[in-house]
Amino acid sequence: MEAVVPPEITAELTQILSNLVLGDNDIRANAEKAVNDRLARTPELYLLALAQFAIAADTEVMRSFSLVLLRRLLFRSAPLNAQPPGPQRQPIPRLTLYDHLSAQTLTTLERLLLHSLSHEPSQSVRRKSVDTICDVAKQGMARGRPWHALQAQTFTMTQAGLGGGHDGVVPNGAGGQAWLARESAYRVFAGCPNLVMDLQTDAVLQVFQRGLQDGESIEVRHAALIASVAYLTVADPPQLAQSLSLMYPLLETVHYLSQNLASPPLSPPQAHTTSAPGTNTQHLTNFLSDLTPLCTSNPMLFQPHLQPLLSFMPQLILPAVDCGPTPTVSRPFPGPSSSSSGSSSSGNGRQGAFVFPIPGESSSANGHNPDDDDDVGHSGADDNEEDDERAALRLAALEFMVSLSEARPSMVKKVSGWVEVLVRASLEGMGELDEEHEGVVEWLAEDPSAASDSDSNPAMYEQSLDRLACALGGRSVLPPAFQYIPMMLVSYDWRSRHAGLMAIAAIGEGTGKVMQNELAKIVDLVTPMFKDSHPRVRFAACQCVGQLCTDLEEVIQEQYHQQLFPVLISALEDPEPRVHSHAAAALINFCEGVERDTLLPYLDPIVERLLKLLNPGGEHTGNVRRYVQEQAITTLAMVADASEVTFGKHYPTIMPLLLNVLQNAEGKEYSKLRIKAMECAGLIAIAVGREVFRPDSNTLVELLIRIQKSPHDPHDTQLTHYLIATWAKVCQAMGEEFEPYLPVVMPSLLTTASAKADISVYDEDVENMEEKEGWEIIEMEGQTLGIRTSSIDEKCQAFETLVIYCSTLGACFAPYLSQTLEITLPALKFYFHDGVREAAAMLAPMLLSCGKQSGSLTPQMVSAIFHQIINCISTEHDSSFLASLFKCFTDCLLLIGGPSALSPEYQNGIIEATKRQLQQLAERRKARTARVQAQQHNDRGDDMVREEMAMLEEIEDYALDDMGKMLSLFDPNHPLIVAVSSVKDLGFGGGYGSESDGGEDVG
């Protein structure tokens, strides 16, 4: 292709790009500076040079890099002082370099990119070209610049090599590469479906169907599938209605692969790709993964195809039945193992297990040639790779079916066998843990806080079962689940017993209301498992009970505490640290929903065993695991909180231990133990009360001051959080006696509470941003913002602590009244964190009360409070916080003596603000009712929408109730009270949560 930039520019750019790719840090930094400098001076010239380099560079690496860099540079923010060429019209929220290019430059750039798309011989580079082209096309169309040449060329490329006279898009000498052109075309349609949305639907469907049935390349079929999914996702209802026929070839690609997993994939004989062609198993995994989003966006498209899907999907999600050769067949009469393999024998000298190959047996005995060892090694590796591929396929197929079930529960429940096979597949997968002894030993040695198996295959199956239960409800999931679970719990294989217990825990949330009817049987099944011979099964029993206590809170504790407390308490003495630690964790869940009187009979044995875990004494002192101590302290804190003053008799034993930890547990390795001890000491202090705690209060306060003043590890993000929380608990325990310590805690607390949100502005769009740990990415007013969540969470905790201090100390908080009020009123509009606003709404009347009690309240403070609250009510759009604002106003009004004490200005202001909110709520409810009436309620999806809208109306009802209470203070017969009732009547009456039939379809 003819050059579009001078040779010297190309040479200079070649050097810069080489430095960017190959240079060290300093060279790269200089190269980046050079790029920015050139773009600032002559952006059009260098962007065109970059596009030309993407065609002319000798290596695939450089062509790929050029395309990636071009895409990044085109759509990054332009300099603020730059203005796009031409007359200024509607302002664009965020101008990019693309917006500053002239029409001629854009035309040339598009021509270069089209050349790359049609002539690039490398598949990987073509895909980079497609990504860049799709971005340019989407951004151009968003700015009113259609790319007709791209539309025409991609349609032509879909027929490349098919004998239709359209091979001109394939480069000379690239015979056999026509499939690459077809694949690229469909990937363009996938990345920019708007290219075809304005064309005749039949013509588009014909093109997509041809790609889905491509007879030469599985890669073309895959690209056509992605394009079809993208098209169906964005199609409007009339287009969707005309496109139903596309589902047949779309799903046929999946069926074809499922029936040909052992066959080589469709691939042109002369195909040269940068990656291996893969297997049909890998391709089917990719096909299903890319088809799954359509299950969520348009699940009804699959309704006519559910029964055909069920004819072959089970074979994909269930494990293959292949036992392989048995040891007995290979060696009917095993003799004793040789001395070189003593590890394979049991301790009593008998053969412990069959071993392959037979220990001590020469390889030549079976005709094996030692020279073939490499082949055997490769065969083993191939087997492992095949197993991994099969495992990935099972999970992809399961995700496809579960996603469809979540999107339209009522639709899949009508298909006999659908739910049953999903439940069975999930249970099967949950049992596929590592059965080797070494794996169990490694699991026992792990610190559970550091170990994470949430991304393991069994955990993924467990999550699928959980999601299925939440989507379909108890009536659909419990019967098939308990068709297998009782048998699993008595299986000889510990993995099945473990899976059965974890399954009960997984389905508790979604099936809770129905499960309550069978809870006695479930408890009878679970409790014997605490005595299982395998530690992982006993661990799972603790997990099961703990999870059920959360999902069926109060129900299981009230009805079955006599069966469950004893087994949990006995599990605290389990010989394995991971098990007795998890039993302590399960006790926390149990105590959260237990009545104090129910807990008291078990209090002494629980505390006794927790103290043994914390400080075993004797020869076991040196062997105690730190995570066990941390868990024991946490559980003690929860038990103290649940038992309240009754815990006082254990106070003399436990508090000295905690103070000792805070005094002596120094060093990074004890940081978690130290913060757990702080938390526990604070909760116990609250539980036993001021009189019991008073002798130790000064000691604990001095230790907290020492910890607060000591140098902090910058990576220890938890210490400050727990320190603030413990100070708050000490304040609650000490009451007004805490006042002398306010100068110690208030300065840093006020600093944290007054902190601004830590915000960064990014060049990229939200969809192209990756979430960074500790940051939340949002889009606001045309800008992409990153908010550091840790800083606003700390701000929220600071305000919640101020609420505790002010409510506990009352008039004693007066020295800090003015400073606190100064940061509280603006926080009512801190839109980055709802918790901050809610705490500020609670704090405002408390500060008013503090000022009134202490005599430090000024008219200016009262005026500022009411002015800000009325202003917030007038502009608030969040109905849940609107209720908090009206309650805040009402509380403040009562504190100053009622409406008569309020100035006419503020009386008129609150009435006008209330009228405005009533009008907005009425409009929302009318629109919502009209939307519901326009919908058909024949499937679960509409029911879910109704539930969501009913929940919104329930939240609005709270706001209307608080509005009515406020108005009645002005006049019990205030005319706006009638308006409040009228707005309530505008609701469509969805009855959120009222149609749950024993748990059916709840959640």
Side-chain angles (χ1 to χ4, degrees):
M1 185 176 182
E2 185 180 348
V4 297
V5 295
E8 60 271 17
I9 298 295
T10 303
E12 182 184 17
L13 184 64
T14 302
Q15 185 60 54
I16 292 174
L17 294 180
S18 299
N19 291 342
L20 282 172
V21 174
L22 306 173
D24 59 22
N25 289 338
D26 290 338
I27 295 176
R28 262 200 311 273
N30 290 330
E32 290 174 4
K33 184 179 178 182
V35 169
N36 292 330
D37 178 63
R38 304 304 188 276
L39 288 176
R41 289 190 287 110
T42 52
E44 297 194 348
L45 186 62
Y46 277 88
L47 287 174
L48 289 178
L50 197 56
Q52 179 176 287
F53 194 75
I55 297 173
D58 295 332
T59 64
E60 293 182 12
V61 171
M62 294 308 294
R63 295 199 301 275
S64 290
F65 181 69
S66 302
L67 288 163
V68 172
L69 186 60
L70 176 63
R71 179 185 178 196
R72 176 185 168 192
L73 295 177
L74 273 173
F75 302 110
R76 79 174 185 183
S77 294
L80 293 177
N81 58 351
Q83 295 293 332
Q88 298 298 302
R89 297 184 180 179
Q90 186 76 17
I92 299 174
R94 185 169 62 88
L95 294 178
T96 65
L97 283 176
Y98 177 92
D99 298 300
H100 298 273
L101 300 180
S102 65
Q104 181 181 354
T105 300
L106 286 174
T107 302
T108 305
L109 178 66
E110 290 168 352
R111 183 163 53 86
L112 292 170
L113 289 174
L114 289 178
H115 187 277
S116 171
L117 178 67
S118 61
H119 290 73
E120 173 57 54
S122 165
Q123 184 183 25
S124 64
V125 180
R126 268 182 185 259
R127 291 188 177 178
K128 298 293 191 301
S129 179
V130 167
D131 292 340
T132 304
I133 284 170
C134 288
D135 268 10
V136 171
K138 286 187 292 187
Q139 295 289 346
M141 283 188 274
R143 291 160 170 81
R145 181 185 172 85
W147 193 351
H148 298 299
L150 174 64
Q151 187 182 63
Q153 179 166 312
T154 46
F155 268 95
T156 302
M157 290 171 65
T158 62
Q159 302 181 63
L162 299 181
H166 301 281
D167 295 352
V169 295
V170 183
N172 294 332
Q177 296 285 318
W179 69 274
L180 269 180
R182 300 197 300 275
E183 186 215 18
S184 300
Y186 287 112
R187 288 192 175 273
V188 170
F189 292 145
C192 187
N194 284 336
L195 278 173
V196 299
M197 301 312 294
D198 61 342
L199 301 180
Q200 188 177 359
T201 302
D202 289 343
V204 175
L205 297 183
Q206 184 179 0
V207 170
F208 284 165
Q209 181 172 344
R210 186 167 61 240
L212 291 167
Q213 297 172 341
D214 194 277
E216 188 179 33
S217 170
I218 195 68
E219 298 282 5
V220 175
R221 290 190 180 187
H222 184 204
L225 179 139
I226 301 172
S228 300
V229 168
Y231 173 79
L232 293 171
T233 301
V234 301
D236 58 32
Q239 288 174 315
L240 213 54
Q242 297 179 56
S243 305
L244 297 179
S245 61
L246 186 60
M247 293 298 295
Y248 290 93
L250 190 66
L251 295 176
E252 177 56 33
T253 61
V254 176
H255 179 258
Y256 165 81
L257 286 171
S258 72
Q259 304 306 303
N260 293 275
L261 292 178
S263 304
L266 281 173
S267 181
Q270 298 180 1
H272 300 289
T273 63
T274 56
S275 59
T279 64
N280 276 344
T281 301
Q282 291 174 322
H283 288 300
L284 181 53
T285 301
N286 295 333
F287 275 48
L288 287 169
S289 298
D290 290 324
L291 188 57
T292 298
L294 190 62
C295 296
T296 303
S297 63
N298 287 301
M300 293 304 295
L301 291 174
F302 294 88
Q303 187 173 27
H305 309 279
L306 292 181
Q307 202 63 55
L309 282 170
L310 195 59
S311 68
F312 67 90
M313 289 300 290
Q315 74 188 48
L316 302 181
I317 63 175
L318 292 171
V321 180
D322 180 15
C323 299
T326 65
T328 303
V329 171
S330 176
R331 193 172 184 225
F333 306 105
S337 61
S338 66
S339 57
S340 64
S341 300
S343 61
S344 64
S345 301
S346 58
N348 57 13
R350 294 180 295 175
Q351 179 74 15
F354 292 96
V355 181
F356 288 96
I358 306 304
E361 186 173 5
S362 67
S363 58
S364 60
N366 293 324
H368 172 65
N369 185 349
D371 294 337
D372 293 339
D373 283 346
D374 288 343
D375 294 335
V376 173
H378 285 303
S379 176
D382 290 343
D383 288 343
N384 290 336
E385 186 175 344
E386 185 177 340
D387 290 343
D388 290 343
E389 289 178 7
R390 174 66 188 175
L393 173 58
R394 284 176 60 193
L395 284 170
L398 185 67
E399 177 63 26
F400 170 82
M401 296 184 73
V402 170
S403 296
L404 195 53
S405 304
E406 286 180 310
R408 284 293 187 276
S410 61
M411 181 178 75
V412 302
K413 282 190 285 189
K414 296 174 184 176
V415 181
S416 176
W418 183 280
V419 178
E420 289 78 3
V421 75
L422 282 176
V423 170
R424 180 187 166 194
S426 299
L427 292 173
E428 293 263 18
M430 289 173 65
E432 295 171 1
L433 294 161
D434 182 2
E435 64 178 331
E436 298 297 330
H437 175 68
E438 292 79 5
V440 176
V441 171
E442 182 181 343
W443 179 85
L444 289 171
E446 282 179 333
D447 182 341
S449 62
S452 175
D453 59 355
S454 60
D455 57 349
S456 67
N457 285 359
M460 299 297 290
Y461 285 108
E462 182 182 340
Q463 292 170 23
S464 296
L465 186 61
D466 179 17
R467 291 163 54 196
L468 199 65
C470 290
L472 303 183
R475 293 175 185 262
S476 297
V477 173
L478 274 185
F482 276 90
Q483 180 183 349
Y484 299 104
I485 288 175
M487 293 185 293
M488 296 170 72
L489 294 180
V490 296
S491 171
Y492 73 93
D493 189 342
W494 70 265
R495 298 177 301 167
S496 289
R497 302 196 299 275
H498 178 279
L501 290 165
M502 298 300 284
I504 295 174
I507 63 179
E509 180 185 2
T511 67
K513 291 193 176 182
V514 177
M515 185 182 281
Q516 289 181 26
N517 302 326
E518 307 294 332
L519 204 49
K521 297 176 183 177
I522 292 173
V523 170
D524 289 340
L525 285 173
V526 172
T527 48
M529 310 308 292
F530 281 85
K531 297 181 180 179
D532 195 273
S533 60
H534 200 283
R536 293 204 66 170
V537 177
R538 300 195 299 274
F539 177 95
C542 297
Q543 173 68 22
C544 180
V545 170
Q547 190 62 48
L548 289 179
C549 287
T550 298
D551 295 333
L552 303 174
E553 188 173 351
E554 298 182 7
V555 176
I556 192 169
Q557 289 94 325
E558 179 183 347
Q559 297 179 12
Y560 300 100
H561 61 87
Q562 292 180 333
Q563 294 97 312
L564 296 176
F565 256 135
V567 294
L568 283 173
I569 293 171
S570 65
L572 293 174
E573 298 182 304
D574 193 278
E576 296 297 343
R578 283 204 72 171
V579 178
H580 59 234
S581 172
H582 208 55
L587 270 173
I588 291 179
N589 297 41
F590 204 105
C591 290
E592 283 178 341
V594 76
E595 293 293 333
R596 175 174 168 271
D597 293 340
T598 303
L599 173 63
L600 292 184
Y602 307 100
L603 182 61
D604 290 347
I606 290 174
V607 173
E608 176 188 341
R609 285 161 178 78
L610 289 173
L611 286 174
K612 284 184 180 179
L613 298 183
L614 182 59
N615 187 26
E619 61 181 9
H620 301 290
T621 302
N623 296 328
V624 65
R625 304 280 178 90
R626 192 175 300 120
Y627 71 80
V628 174
Q629 292 180 312
E630 294 163 0
Q631 185 60 64
I633 288 176
T634 305
T635 306
L636 277 170
M638 179 55 67
V639 171
D641 188 47
S643 58
E644 299 173 353
V645 294
T646 315
F647 198 80
K649 65 179 179 179
H650 299 288
Y651 178 88
T653 305
I654 297 173
M655 185 59 82
L657 287 174
L658 299 175
L659 296 176
N660 182 57
V661 170
L662 294 176
Q663 180 74 40
N664 300 309
E666 298 182 349
K668 185 177 180 180
E669 66 275 18
Y670 292 106
S671 60
K672 189 173 181 180
L673 184 64
R674 187 164 56 247
I675 61 177
K676 294 293 184 182
M678 286 164 46
E679 179 185 43
C680 186
L683 284 170
I684 289 176
I686 294 174
V688 300
R690 186 186 312 183
E691 298 301 323
V692 176
F693 174 58
R694 184 177 286 117
D696 294 307
S697 60
N698 287 335
T699 305
L700 179 57
V701 166
E702 289 172 2
L703 287 170
L704 293 178
I705 292 173
R706 192 187 77 173
I707 293 172
Q708 183 169 296
K709 291 183 177 180
S710 62
H712 292 175
D713 180 359
H715 300 291
D716 186 356
T717 57
Q718 292 186 309
L719 178 59
T720 301
H721 172 82
Y722 277 90
L723 195 58
I724 292 174
T726 304
W727 277 121
K729 293 179 178 67
V730 172
C731 175
Q732 289 174 280
M734 295 179 66
E736 294 180 358
E737 295 176 12
F738 186 78
E739 182 189 2
Y741 303 111
L742 280 178
V744 176
V745 298
M746 285 299 294
S748 60
L749 194 66
L750 290 171
T751 300
T752 304
S754 61
K756 305 294 184 184
D758 189 351
I759 300 175
S760 295
V761 181
Y762 298 107
D763 292 337
E764 299 177 70
D765 294 327
V766 172
E767 59 266 23
N768 296 326
M769 292 290 296
E770 292 185 7
E771 288 281 353
K772 295 191 294 184
E773 185 177 355
W775 289 78
E776 181 182 0
I777 308 300
I778 64 171
E779 190 167 11
M780 181 179 292
E781 297 180 355
Q783 289 185 312
T784 303
L785 306 179
I787 304 173
R788 191 163 70 90
T789 53
S790 58
S791 63
I792 59 176
D793 288 341
E794 291 165 4
K795 183 183 182 79
C796 180
Q797 187 195 20
F799 268 100
E800 290 170 347
T801 305
L802 287 171
V803 169
I804 292 173
Y805 286 164
C806 190
S807 62
T808 303
L809 297 173
C812 296
F813 190 74
Y816 296 93
L817 171 61
S818 178
Q819 290 174 272
T820 306
L821 188 60
E822 188 178 336
I823 63 174
T824 299
L825 296 181
L828 291 170
K829 291 191 172 185
F830 189 79
Y831 298 108
F832 296 112
H833 199 296
D834 291 339
V836 172
R837 298 208 294 162
E838 291 287 353
M842 292 175 62
L843 189 55
M846 293 178 183
L847 294 172
L848 196 59
S849 175
C850 168
K852 186 177 179 181
Q853 294 174 33
S854 63
S856 57
L857 189 65
T858 65
Q860 290 79 9
M861 290 181 180
V862 175
S863 179
I865 290 172
F866 281 101
H867 177 82
Q868 182 71 344
I869 296 173
I870 293 171
N871 183 265
C872 290
I873 288 175
S874 180
T875 59
E876 184 57 51
H877 297 286
D878 183 350
S879 298
S880 61
F881 188 59
L882 185 62
S884 300
L885 285 172
F886 273 108
K887 184 180 184 305
C888 174
F889 181 89
T890 302
D891 291 344
C892 290
L893 191 62
L894 290 171
L895 283 168
I896 66 169
S900 60
L902 196 64
S903 69
E905 176 190 355
Y906 292 136
Q907 289 188 30
N908 294 332
I910 188 61
I911 297 301
E912 289 302 318
T914 303
K915 287 180 180 177
R916 187 177 295 109
Q917 285 295 343
L918 281 170
Q919 183 178 354
Q920 291 177 0
L921 288 171
E923 290 172 355
R924 286 183 214 162
R925 292 196 160 204
K926 288 177 182 177
R928 203 177 289 135
T929 302
R931 179 182 172 190
V932 170
Q933 291 174 346
Q935 288 181 337
Q936 299 297 324
H937 311 307
N938 297 327
D939 56 67
R940 168 70 173 169
D942 290 339
D943 290 343
M944 293 176 70
V945 172
R946 284 175 60 86
E947 286 186 2
E948 290 175 4
M949 292 193 290
M951 184 169 62
L952 290 175
E953 291 202 351
E954 187 176 0
I955 293 171
E956 291 171 355
D957 285 344
Y958 288 124
L960 290 167
D961 289 340
D962 285 307
M963 200 182 292
K965 292 174 184 177
M966 183 273 296
L967 289 169
S968 65
L969 291 179
F970 286 88
D971 180 358
N973 299 313
H974 198 288
L976 284 183
I977 294 178
V978 177
V980 170
S981 299
S982 300
V983 173
K984 272 192 171 184
D985 293 340
L986 290 174
F988 70 93
Y992 173 68
S994 63
E995 297 180 3
S996 60
D997 182 14
E1000 178 71 1
D1001 294 342
V1002 175

